[in-house]
Amino acid sequence: MRAIQIVTTRLSSCLRPIRLEFVSSSSPQLFSNTRRLLCTAAATKSNGGRSGSIVAPLVANEEGEEVQKIDVNPPKGTRDFAPEDMRLRNWLFNHFKEVSRLFGYEEVDYPVLETEALFIRKAGEEIRDQLYCFEDRGKRRVALRPELTPSLARLVIQKGKSVSLPLKWFAIGQCWRYERMTRGRRREHYQWNMDIIGVPQVTAEAELISSIVTFFKRIGITASDVGFKVSSRKVLQEMLRKYGVPETLFGRVCIIIDKIEKIPIDEIKKELGSTGISEDAIEQLLQVLSVKSLDDLEDVLGGAGEAIADLKQLFSLAEKFGYSEWIQFDASVVRGLAYYTGIVFEGFDRKGNLRAICGGGRYDRLLPTYGGDDIPACGFGFGDAVIVELLKEKNLLPELGQEVENIVCALEKDLQGAAATVATTLRSKGQTVDLVLESKPLKWVFKRAARINARRLILVGKTEWEDGSVSVKVLSSGEQFQVKLNDLE
Amino acid sequence: MRAIQIVTTRLSSCLRPIRLEFVSSSSPQLFSNTRRLLCTAAATKSNGGRSGSIVAPLVANEEGEEVQKIDVNPPKGTRDFAPEDMRLRNWLFNHFKEVSRLFGYEEVDYPVLETEALFIRKAGEEIRDQLYCFEDRGKRRVALRPELTPSLARLVIQKGKSVSLPLKWFAIGQCWRYERMTRGRRREHYQWNMDIIGVPQVTAEAELISSIVTFFKRIGITASDVGFKVSSRKVLQEMLRKYGVPETLFGRVCIIIDKIEKIPIDEIKKELGSTGISEDAIEQLLQVLSVKSLDDLEDVLGGAGEAIADLKQLFSLAEKFGYSEWIQFDASVVRGLAYYTGIVFEGFDRKGNLRAICGGGRYDRLLPTYGGDDIPACGFGFGDAVIVELLKEKNLLPELGQEVENIVCALEKDLQGAAATVATTLRSKGQTVDLVLESKPLKWVFKRAARINARRLILVGKTEWEDGSVSVKVLSSGEQFQVKLNDLE
């Protein structure tokens, strides 16, 4: 036994007692390393993402070896996916994929590491300040993507005339934001995106919302749990035009207005004022944003504009798609990304406990902004974090255990080869098999069988095997029988 | 029409003609941005990963607007996955997952961004020099993971006593290496890993190789295409012990020897000499590495050591698992990672055209090196690049087209809502539907139906719809009939 020095690296004050452990060196000391990496004991749960080590300092243990403190937690704000976490992630992603498939969308992906310039826009978005960017060894400015849409635009432009419009694409990708860590906010999340490239009509937005509704229904979420607030940026645009505000200010004004529920209204007014908009216009603008019905909006804007026409068409299509009860008009919705130009929407929980569940809209000017053709586009992003919170709250999280059909075990050490043959035979027939790789007591095997939810236990014993047979125990019923290996299905 | 200035950013000399384009500003000039991002025309194919822009400089176009050059290619050494690429990736990954499932392994994942310290080992591995590392905004040294095994070790230590051994885990994750770009080598690839934690016996390695063989068979690769070279690092270890070489040099010696086919033999000898090993020992070592049969190895090492015993057991188990013809002993295989301690293996193409297809082995000392308990472990990594090269060479790449069951189209603009109802009905029955979102001529619809391999075309016309019916055309046979929407399956 050799004592190992356990050093804590937590900088936060929430230190908990750390369990000291000893590493037993039962195996020969052949590989005693000159430098030993040590870790802090995993006293806290991993998903909190608490991790204090900034630089791993070198110290020496009692034997004079170099000891490097490393942390067993993933870097701050990131997650491990242990098997139980991964089962939930796969369950969620499979629903994303299955819905996208039902709607005839094709899956795509882009590099998680992109050129920084792709994400730099001047409208003052939150997303820019949170860019996970750095200079690589080749002195290139790169960034871990904070969202997928710019990469999509880049790929569409690159494909050019080689693809036929409309494109209907979906992606599930990890996105990164270097945020101050608060409860439940991490620095990475996965985002499901669906996008339609090349359709100028509101039918596109209507179908996108239909796909999200389909997703909600599949996982047990109803219209009384969740709704969509819908508006159009053309409302703001028509207001700005009315007051002679330069069109170049449009993106910036949208970003300011998106913060309306996060910062005090006086602050909003001040920020809007600093763009040069008159006080009168600001008051009118804020007035319009509080409108919650299309009729009232029509009273303000008049019936002629595109904003009203688009929204009316969307609500009419919602009825045909069958999700009227899910959506409502709300002029205050503008979304926080600079590139939206038309319909915008966000999914919210009706109890009001959570951040937006998903959001999207039309971004007809993004492709030309990058130098591409003037192709209309719209899409949405749907994160993997808030929805899980909602499912927890509604008690709708699925119970997902490991599922292996067979556990195969040799009853004697020299039958391990025979057990391997049995496992191979079953696997070749498409049966899943956990093969016990060591000599273990039967009690241990039954315990493992229960843990992995095995349906059958296949025991390979001497007398049966001489006859080419194995013992099968059906674990749910206790039924037991012998069968020739070749007859085992 | 407004002229847009196209600027090339390629630094390489392989400039090709660049297509000048004009952006038609047919939509109102409401969103003319103060800063316009421009991109180089996508004159070369994306997957070459050629990208020359280092910093996106700002220039002004004729109208005095700021113009930012951006590149439509993904960053150097990275890939986009357009739908056709993604279909191949999914096909490959699904085989990885299905095989892992057959063997009863649980899926896991870790952050693509890890603490740099996790990957720093002192043995002089190639992988360390190629670390994609940087300092984040919080001054932490982080790295895009170059491999998955250190994260696995971290998570196992973190889980501690809460998990029951053995663990059988698999993962498919993106890994990054900042390498000099040569033909066919990129800076990222996906890697399929399977690992067994907690089994000291060679049964574990034998099962891992069995799973790779199962994968090869599924995708049409045979034992005459591919083989496994197998050895044990205990061979080297026993040789070093014989010549009194300090055990602390073990990892370093393995890394040097792994380069034996890449650099001249004199260079290898020089490097080995610089560790302090005697010339005589070096000669003997190199002699042993050329041994290609277990019997010859036994002549050199004697029959008593663990190396021989392990290898004999592995070859015996290979027979029971049913893959004898796939494996052969080859003492020169040591693998390039410092942490292997026992059996090592690599998959190779028998024509010898390609780099190693996969590789793995036993790493019993990795967990204690990180401060964890002394738990035995082994695993393999299988990349997504070389296998695709091999499949191409063997003409085994699958033909994967888009597959949508129905294409639904309104015959008049004011029936688009009705078409939406038809699409929703079919989707609720589990049918995949591409809904035509615009008014398009029938010729266009047939062309699209062919491109997406639709099985049926559902037309929504005025007279039929008044009756609650639609026209169905089975595209393979040309058969056409009318059916009530509710009866449509």
Side-chain angles (χ1 to χ4, degrees):
Chain A
M1 298 283 274
R2 179 159 47 144
I4 296 288
Q5 187 184 350
I6 301 282
V7 205
T8 173
T9 58
R10 291 185 200 292
L11 297 180
S12 65
S13 58
C14 60
L15 282 167
R16 305 211 191 156
I18 285 173
R19 191 162 42 95
L20 280 168
E21 284 185 322
F22 296 87
V23 175
S24 82
S25 49
S26 58
S27 64
Q29 294 276 324
L30 274 166
F31 305 100
S32 62
N33 298 50
T34 51
R35 182 189 202 178
R36 182 166 289 272
L37 303 175
L38 276 198
C39 61
T40 61
T44 52
K45 208 189 166 291
S46 65
N47 281 1
R50 284 187 258 169
S51 156
S53 72
I54 287 186
V55 173
L58 293 172
V59 293
N61 71 2
E62 287 163 17
E63 294 169 56
E65 286 182 330
E66 269 181 11
V67 168
Q68 186 173 11
K69 296 183 294 183
I70 69 149
D71 198 316
V72 294
N73 293 310
K76 199 170 171 176
T78 70
R79 286 172 291 176
D80 286 318
F81 291 88
E84 59 277 17
D85 310 314
M86 198 67 193
R87 282 196 289 269
L88 180 62
R89 173 173 135 182
N90 279 334
W91 174 84
L92 193 68
F93 288 14
N94 283 340
H95 281 294
F96 290 157
K97 286 176 194 175
E98 188 54 26
V99 169
S100 306
R101 210 180 63 82
L102 277 177
F103 281 71
Y105 286 56
E106 297 183 278
E107 191 170 1
V108 292
D109 197 9
Y110 325 97
V112 71
L113 194 70
E114 283 274 14
T115 305
E116 184 186 32
L118 198 61
F119 305 111
I120 303 288
R121 296 180 292 262
K122 277 200 164 169
E125 296 160 302
E126 196 182 25
I127 209 168
R128 180 179 173 171
D129 301 328
Q130 297 169 343
L131 212 51
Y132 233 112
C133 52
F134 63 98
E135 193 173 272
D136 76 7
R137 290 185 184 213
K139 305 276 176 206
R140 287 173 195 84
R141 293 297 308 173
V142 289
L144 292 172
R145 60 185 175 200
E147 52 161 342
L148 302 176
T149 314
S151 301
L152 173 134
R154 182 179 59 61
L155 183 54
V156 170
I157 296 169
Q158 183 202 102
K159 290 285 171 191
K161 302 277 184 255
S162 72
V163 291
S164 304
L165 299 180
L167 297 172
K168 296 180 181 178
W169 282 359
F170 83 98
I172 302 168
Q174 199 173 21
C175 300
W176 295 75
R177 290 190 181 198
Y178 199 92
E179 302 190 79
R180 188 166 301 182
M181 298 286 295
T182 55
R183 199 179 69 84
R185 296 214 96 167
R186 288 187 309 265
R187 288 184 175 157
E188 53 79 17
H189 76 297
Y190 282 88
Q191 206 179 80
W192 172 38
N193 277 210
M194 286 176 78
D195 293 89
I196 300 174
I197 316 294
V199 177
Q201 290 177 45
V202 179
T203 44
E205 290 96 316
E207 175 166 271
L208 290 174
I209 297 173
S210 176
S211 63
I212 307 177
V213 169
T214 303
F215 168 78
F216 281 136
K217 285 180 171 173
R218 286 172 70 96
I219 61 169
I221 299 279
T222 68
S224 58
D225 302 322
V226 157
F228 291 86
K229 292 176 188 165
V230 180
S231 184
S232 171
R233 283 210 175 164
K234 287 177 185 165
V235 173
L236 267 179
Q237 180 192 308
E238 288 173 23
M239 289 297 291
L240 293 181
R241 192 187 291 157
K242 197 166 159 185
Y243 286 91
V245 178
E247 289 143 11
T248 49
L249 287 179
F250 181 71
R252 213 170 133 201
V253 169
C254 289
I255 298 304
I256 297 168
I257 286 170
D258 180 57
K259 292 185 260 185
I260 216 156
E261 284 180 356
K262 296 176 200 161
I263 63 176
I265 194 70
D266 285 345
E267 197 62 35
I268 297 283
K269 288 181 183 172
K270 214 172 116 189
E271 282 198 38
L272 286 173
S274 75
T275 66
I277 304 180
S278 72
E279 264 183 51
D280 181 34
I282 291 173
E283 288 302 329
Q284 294 292 324
L285 214 57
L286 295 177
Q287 197 85 40
V288 170
L289 292 176
S290 66
V291 170
K292 305 281 181 211
S293 94
L294 267 184
D295 289 342
D296 292 349
L297 184 71
E298 203 165 347
D299 288 345
V300 182
L301 293 183
E306 281 181 20
I308 296 284
D310 284 359
L311 286 162
K312 278 188 170 169
Q313 204 200 338
L314 183 67
F315 280 86
S316 160
L317 283 165
E319 206 185 313
K320 303 294 186 181
F321 273 107
Y323 61 82
S324 287
E325 55 180 352
W326 295 72
I327 70 166
Q328 62 197 58
F329 172 73
D330 187 330
S332 72
V333 171
V334 291
R335 303 295 300 154
L337 294 167
Y339 48 66
Y340 289 125
T341 53
I343 296 285
V344 278
F345 56 89
E346 63 185 42
F348 67 100
D349 73 304
R350 295 201 189 269
K351 281 202 177 155
N353 296 335
L354 305 169
R355 284 173 290 141
I357 302 167
C358 58
R362 179 162 289 281
Y363 51 93
D364 282 351
R365 295 291 303 160
L366 185 62
L367 271 76
T369 301
Y370 285 143
D373 288 344
D374 204 354
I375 299 169
C378 56
F380 69 81
F382 191 117
D384 70 340
V386 183
I387 185 63
V388 169
E389 291 305 311
L390 182 68
L391 288 168
K392 265 185 209 157
E393 206 172 84
K394 304 280 173 199
N395 220 2
L396 287 170
L397 274 184
E399 279 191 37
L400 304 163
Q402 197 182 350
E403 278 173 38
V404 182
E405 285 157 315
N406 307 278
I407 183 164
V408 170
C409 183
L411 288 173
E412 293 167 39
K413 195 168 175 8
D414 62 0
L415 287 170
Q416 281 186 347
T421 304
V422 173
T424 297
T425 306
L426 281 167
R427 286 164 180 160
S428 73
K429 291 176 178 174
Q431 292 266 325
T432 58
V433 176
D434 179 43
L435 174 62
V436 177
L437 299 166
E438 298 163 277
S439 283
K440 290 286 187 186
L442 263 183
K443 195 181 154 192
W444 184 96
V445 178
F446 274 100
K447 224 170 130 186
R448 183 168 176 94
R451 195 173 51 247
I452 67 175
N453 300 309
R455 195 166 58 81
R456 299 190 301 191
L457 169 61
I458 318 282
L459 292 173
V460 185
K462 199 168 160 52
T463 21
E464 297 93 326
W465 188 246
E466 277 167 359
D467 182 36
S469 294
V470 293
S471 291
V472 177
K473 193 177 174 77
V474 179
L475 291 163
S476 56
S477 63
E479 184 198 357
Q480 197 160 347
F481 55 90
Q482 279 187 27
V483 64
K484 296 267 185 198
L485 176 57
N486 290 336
D487 298 334
L488 191 59
E489 292 297 329
Chain B
M1 299 282 276
R2 178 157 48 140
I4 297 288
Q5 186 182 349
I6 302 280
V7 204
T8 174
T9 60
R10 293 187 196 288
L11 299 179
S12 64
S13 58
C14 60
L15 282 166
R16 305 211 190 157
I18 285 174
R19 189 162 44 96
L20 280 168
E21 283 184 324
F22 295 88
V23 176
S24 83
S25 49
S26 56
S27 63
Q29 294 277 323
L30 275 167
F31 304 98
S32 63
N33 298 49
T34 51
R35 182 191 204 178
R36 185 165 287 274
L37 304 174
L38 276 197
C39 61
T40 61
T44 53
K45 206 186 169 291
S46 66
N47 282 0
R50 284 187 258 171
S51 156
S53 72
I54 288 187
V55 173
L58 293 171
V59 294
N61 70 4
E62 286 163 18
E63 293 169 58
E65 287 182 326
E66 270 181 11
V67 168
Q68 186 174 11
K69 297 183 292 183
I70 68 150
D71 198 316
V72 294
N73 293 310
K76 197 170 172 177
T78 70
R79 287 172 289 177
D80 286 318
F81 291 87
E84 60 276 17
D85 309 314
M86 198 66 192
R87 283 196 288 271
L88 181 62
R89 173 173 136 182
N90 279 334
W91 174 84
L92 193 67
F93 287 14
N94 283 339
H95 281 294
F96 290 158
K97 286 176 192 176
E98 188 54 29
V99 168
S100 305
R101 210 180 64 83
L102 278 177
F103 280 71
Y105 287 56
E106 296 183 278
E107 191 169 0
V108 292
D109 197 9
Y110 326 95
V112 71
L113 194 69
E114 284 274 14
T115 306
E116 184 186 33
L118 198 63
F119 305 111
I120 303 288
R121 296 180 292 261
K122 277 198 162 170
E125 296 161 303
E126 196 181 24
I127 210 169
R128 182 180 170 170
D129 301 329
Q130 297 169 346
L131 211 51
Y132 233 113
C133 51
F134 63 98
E135 194 173 271
D136 76 8
R137 290 185 183 211
K139 304 280 178 202
R140 287 174 194 80
R141 292 297 308 173
V142 290
L144 291 172
R145 62 184 173 199
E147 52 161 340
L148 302 176
T149 314
S151 301
L152 172 133
R154 183 179 57 61
L155 183 55
V156 170
I157 297 169
Q158 183 204 104
K159 289 285 170 191
K161 302 279 185 252
S162 72
V163 291
S164 305
L165 300 179
L167 297 171
K168 296 180 181 178
W169 283 359
F170 82 96
I172 303 168
Q174 199 172 23
C175 300
W176 295 76
R177 292 190 181 197
Y178 198 93
E179 302 189 80
R180 188 165 301 180
M181 299 287 294
T182 55
R183 198 179 67 86
R185 298 214 93 168
R186 288 187 309 265
R187 290 186 174 156
E188 53 78 17
H189 76 298
Y190 282 88
Q191 207 179 80
W192 171 38
N193 276 211
M194 286 176 78
D195 293 89
I196 300 174
I197 317 294
V199 177
Q201 291 175 45
V202 178
T203 43
E205 291 95 316
E207 176 167 90
L208 291 173
I209 296 173
S210 175
S211 63
I212 307 176
V213 168
T214 303
F215 169 79
F216 281 137
K217 284 179 173 174
R218 285 172 71 97
I219 61 170
I221 300 280
T222 68
S224 57
D225 301 322
V226 157
F228 292 87
K229 291 177 188 166
V230 180
S231 184
S232 170
R233 283 210 176 165
K234 288 177 185 166
V235 173
L236 266 179
Q237 181 192 308
E238 289 173 22
M239 290 297 290
L240 293 181
R241 191 187 292 156
K242 198 166 159 184
Y243 285 92
V245 178
E247 288 144 10
T248 49
L249 286 179
F250 182 71
R252 213 170 132 201
V253 169
C254 288
I255 298 305
I256 296 168
I257 286 171
D258 181 58
K259 292 185 258 183
I260 216 156
E261 284 181 355
K262 296 176 199 160
I263 62 176
I265 194 69
D266 285 344
E267 198 62 37
I268 297 284
K269 288 180 184 174
K270 213 172 118 191
E271 282 197 38
L272 287 172
S274 74
T275 67
I277 304 180
S278 71
E279 263 185 51
D280 180 35
I282 291 171
E283 287 303 329
Q284 292 293 323
L285 215 57
L286 295 177
Q287 196 86 39
V288 169
L289 291 175
S290 67
V291 170
K292 304 280 181 212
S293 95
L294 268 185
D295 289 341
D296 291 349
L297 184 70
E298 203 166 346
D299 289 345
V300 182
L301 295 182
E306 280 181 20
I308 296 285
D310 284 358
L311 286 163
K312 277 187 171 170
Q313 203 201 337
L314 182 69
F315 279 86
S316 161
L317 283 165
E319 207 185 313
K320 304 293 185 179
F321 273 106
Y323 60 83
S324 287
E325 56 182 348
W326 295 73
I327 69 166
Q328 62 196 57
F329 172 73
D330 188 330
S332 73
V333 172
V334 291
R335 302 299 297 157
L337 295 166
Y339 48 67
Y340 289 126
T341 55
I343 296 285
V344 279
F345 57 88
E346 63 184 44
F348 68 100
D349 74 303
R350 295 198 189 271
K351 280 202 178 158
N353 296 337
L354 305 168
R355 284 173 290 140
I357 301 166
C358 59
R362 179 163 289 279
Y363 52 93
D364 283 351
R365 295 292 303 161
L366 185 62
L367 271 78
T369 301
Y370 285 143
D373 289 344
D374 204 355
I375 299 170
C378 57
F380 70 79
F382 191 119
D384 70 339
V386 183
I387 186 63
V388 169
E389 290 305 308
L390 182 68
L391 288 168
K392 264 185 209 156
E393 206 171 83
K394 304 279 173 196
N395 219 4
L396 287 169
L397 274 184
E399 280 191 35
L400 305 163
Q402 197 182 351
E403 278 173 39
V404 182
E405 284 157 315
N406 307 280
I407 183 163
V408 171
C409 183
L411 287 173
E412 293 167 39
K413 197 167 175 359
D414 62 1
L415 286 171
Q416 280 186 348
T421 303
V422 173
T424 297
T425 306
L426 280 167
R427 286 164 180 161
S428 72
K429 292 177 178 174
Q431 292 266 328
T432 58
V433 175
D434 180 43
L435 175 62
V436 177
L437 299 166
E438 299 163 278
S439 283
K440 290 286 186 182
L442 264 184
K443 194 180 155 194
W444 184 95
V445 178
F446 274 100
K447 224 171 131 186
R448 182 166 177 95
R451 196 172 51 246
I452 66 174
N453 299 308
R455 196 167 57 84
R456 299 190 301 192
L457 169 60
I458 319 280
L459 293 172
V460 185
K462 199 168 160 53
T463 22
E464 297 94 324
W465 188 245
E466 277 167 1
D467 181 37
S469 295
V470 292
S471 292
V472 177
K473 193 177 175 81
V474 179
L475 291 163
S476 56
S477 64
E479 184 198 357
Q480 197 159 347
F481 55 92
Q482 279 187 29
V483 64
K484 295 266 184 198
L485 177 55
N486 291 336
D487 298 335
L488 191 57
E489 295 294 331

